[in-house]
Every structure is written in structure tokens, then in C-alpha cells.
Amino acid sequence: MSLETGGLGALFVILAMALVTLATRWGGVFVMSFVPIGYRVRQFIHAMSGSVLVALLAPLAVTGDTGARLALLTTAVIMLTLKKPLPAIAGGILVAALCRQLLPAVG
Amino acid sequence: MTRRDASPHRLDRALVWDGFKALLPLSLFVIVFGVAFGLAATQARLGDLEIVLMSTLVFAGASQFAALELWGPQVPFFTLLVTVFAINARHLLMGATLYPWLEPLSPARRYAIMLVASDANWAMAMQAFGSGRPGLGLLLGGGIALWGFWVLGTWLGLNIGGAVRDPASLGLDMVMGCFLLAMVVGGEKNLRMLLIWSVAAGASLLAFYYLPENSHVVVGAIAGGLVGLAWGKRE
């Protein structure tokens, strides 16, 4: 099913997106208030919560250009050494920018 | 200090303000990311009102960017909603992991706090809980900071859009990736987590290439979760 985004169509789509997102924000808490959190469930959720981020990142690293890959590498290295997210993120972005400015043919 | 004061689920105005301030440095990056989103949304031909409204009501960057990919004169409605759900399914886990500390609160406060739950303030709150410190102030105050600066950044992106012609050439498309990676690397690191991440990454890539679009997030997450279930942590 496709929706026209002219007129109120776009607002309707955005409202639906907001409701779906709200359901994800409230859903976990809501379910937990009925089902007790067992040890196994906690193990699963804990492993899953880190895995979501990795799963988002993996294709980004594989399909990204040289700038993107070096940016992620830089962030990982700075994060491992300094353990501070701010310099790690800034370093990554800086490397991506430099890479794309200086190596346009490679990037 | 009384027992009640020391409890990690404590929440008062001072803690919320502390949480707000704790997330301010990161909020500068959220502004940049918001600007990038505002720019991208303009290019995807969304109206100004719609763009700001999306950031205000949805407040979930990755899924908003994904929505732009599907945006046009016609929008594949259900595909879009499934994509948004898949990307934001991690909120379910945030709510679940936060539940032990939200349980003592009234349902109204519980769900009100969850309105602003997102990656950074959740991670910082969990870190605080992990070391026995109060974390709900970080969650709520930090969430308000992230939300406010996300909307502000989006609005700036619309208005100063002309100044940045090519966000990617400035590395701005990497803000989200670097942020998420910093969160991953900053977390627990041991052989068990390394295996979980490897399986999650492998499953995600397989799904990325061989399964329907956007399924890789959920597939990778579930695969990693199952490894965590199989290899239980000894405490």
C-alpha cells in the first residue's frame, strides 16, 4: 500500500511513524510489568542490546567508502585508548572529512 | 545518608538537572546530526513543518534517516512502518533493561520518562545503575537535552542548509556510525561479548545481502541475543 505525501498525507505518515516508535519505547516496559524478568531473558536481552548496534554498524563498515571505514577505525581506536566517546566521535568525523577532501579518487 | 537516598531509582529535580548537564557535551554532536537530518530531509522534498514535526514526535535519528530513503511523492506505508519498527526495536530492550529501576515509580512517571529514552541517555543510565548510582535523572534530564537539541539541530539544518552543500564531504554522514560504535566499544569487553558481536555482525551482513531490506538489524540482534543465551555469563 502506498500513500500520497501531498497535503495531509505526509503528516499522517509522520504520525504513524511516531506511534510505532512510541510503541517500541513503551512496549519493553509494558511487557516487563506482566512477565517477570528471568535470568535467561536478561542474558538474551543484554546480548541483544549490544548486538543491535553491531548489526546496524556492520553493513555501514562493509559498504562504506574508505573515509567511512577509516572513520569507524579511528573511533574504535580512540575509544579503546582514551575511553572517552567525545574525542572518539570527533576523531572519526575528522578522519572521514580529511579522507574525502584529500583522497577524492580513492574515497 | 538514608537507604532511600542511596537507592539507584531515586529521581528529583537536581538529578534531572545533573542528567541534562551530563548529556550537554554529546548534545553538540546531536545538533550536528540534526542539522544533517534537516539537510537530508530538505533534499528528500519534505516540507519544513513536516521535517521539524518528525524530529519532535519520532525522535529516533536512524529510523528518520531510513524514512527519507523511502520518501517520495508516494510512500510505501507498511514497508516504512516495519522499517521504523525494526530500527527502533532496540527501544523495547532499553525499556526491558530499565524496568527493574522503573518498577518503583508510578505508571504515569514510568511511561513519561520512557518518552525520551534513546541510545545515549539509556547507556549512561545503565552505566550509573551498574555502579549503584542513581540513573533515572540521567535518563530523563539527558533525554530532554538530546530531544531538545535534536529538534533544534533539525531546525538549524533547514535554515542554514545552504551553507553545507555536501555533508558527506565534511564527514557528517558518519556522526551516527561513529556514535554507535563508540557506544559499542565503550561497553563490556570480554571473549563472550566479542563472540556475540561477531555473530551479530556476521548475521547482519548475511541478512543485508540475502534477506529483504532492513531486516539485518533485527536478524543480527536476535542472532547475537541467542549466542548470549547459549553462553550464559557466570556471575
Side-chain angles (χ1 to χ4, degrees):
Chain A
M1 187 182 104
S2 280
L3 271 185
E4 301 276 341
T5 48
L8 291 175
L11 291 181
F12 179 75
V13 173
I14 290 167
L15 206 62
M17 284 175 67
L19 288 177
V20 167
T21 308
L22 188 62
T24 63
R25 285 200 164 100
W26 283 354
V29 174
F30 184 74
V31 169
M32 281 307 205
S33 62
F34 293 103
V35 186
I37 338 155
Y39 170 76
R40 311 280 289 172
V41 179
R42 272 211 312 276
Q43 293 284 24
F44 179 76
I45 289 169
H46 181 248
M48 194 160 146
S49 62
S51 299
V52 183
L53 303 182
V54 175
L56 265 172
L57 285 167
L60 201 65
V62 172
T63 61
D65 62 348
T66 311
R69 289 177 197 176
L70 287 181
L72 293 175
L73 185 68
T74 307
T75 296
V77 169
I78 298 179
M79 197 61 204
L80 283 172
T81 48
L82 295 183
K83 303 194 192 318
K84 286 193 176 17
L86 233 49
I89 297 167
I93 293 163
L94 191 66
V95 165
L98 286 176
C99 207
R100 285 165 184 165
Q101 301 288 338
L102 303 177
L103 305 167
V106 182
Chain B
M1 215 190 302
T2 66
R3 220 179 101 83
R4 189 179 152 70
D5 283 337
S7 60
H9 56 76
R10 193 161 56 103
L11 182 63
D12 54 39
R13 197 165 292 182
L15 282 174
V16 174
W17 177 235
D18 286 345
F20 185 87
K21 284 184 290 186
L23 268 293
L24 272 185
L26 201 73
S27 296
L28 291 178
F29 285 90
V30 173
I31 287 190
V32 175
F33 192 30
V35 168
F37 175 73
L39 280 170
T42 316
Q43 282 156 18
R45 297 184 169 273
L46 266 84
D48 288 4
L49 174 69
E50 278 104 36
I51 297 170
V52 173
L53 211 61
M54 193 193 280
S55 280
T56 309
L57 296 178
V58 179
F59 177 45
S63 65
Q64 289 179 229
F65 271 102
L68 296 184
E69 299 270 312
L70 298 169
W71 206 271
Q74 301 263 328
V75 171
F77 190 57
F78 289 114
T79 309
L80 177 64
L81 292 193
V82 169
T83 302
V84 169
F85 181 82
I87 293 177
N88 291 332
R90 65 186 192 287
H91 290 139
L92 292 168
L93 303 168
M94 292 179 197
T97 48
L98 287 167
Y99 188 72
W101 293 280
L102 290 170
E103 200 185 4
L105 305 181
S106 69
R109 291 187 110 192
R110 207 185 281 169
Y111 290 111
I113 290 176
M114 285 308 291
L115 284 176
V116 291
S118 68
D119 302 280
N121 56 336
W122 166 76
M124 288 188 71
M126 291 304 287
Q127 228 166 37
F129 291 136
S131 53
R133 285 178 289 125
L136 292 180
L138 282 166
L139 189 64
L140 179 58
I144 291 169
L146 294 171
W147 177 75
F149 286 100
W150 171 242
V151 175
L152 179 67
T154 303
W155 180 78
L156 285 174
L158 299 178
N159 287 276
I160 60 167
V164 186
R165 284 276 163 78
D166 184 7
S169 75
L170 298 176
L172 294 184
D173 58 324
M174 294 308 296
V175 175
M176 178 183 72
C178 290
F179 168 75
L180 296 177
L181 185 64
M183 285 288 127
V184 172
V185 178
E188 189 188 337
K189 287 177 290 289
N190 51 42
L191 193 61
R192 178 173 174 270
M193 286 314 287
L194 196 66
L195 180 73
I196 290 170
W197 292 345
S198 307
V199 170
S204 161
L205 286 175
L206 284 175
F208 183 74
Y209 286 112
Y210 300 112
L211 292 179
E213 248 184 300
N214 287 312
S215 63
H216 63 279
V217 182
V218 167
V219 169
I222 291 175
L226 290 175
V227 175
L229 193 61
W231 184 357
K233 187 170 48 178
R234 313 257 178 270
E235 282 173 45

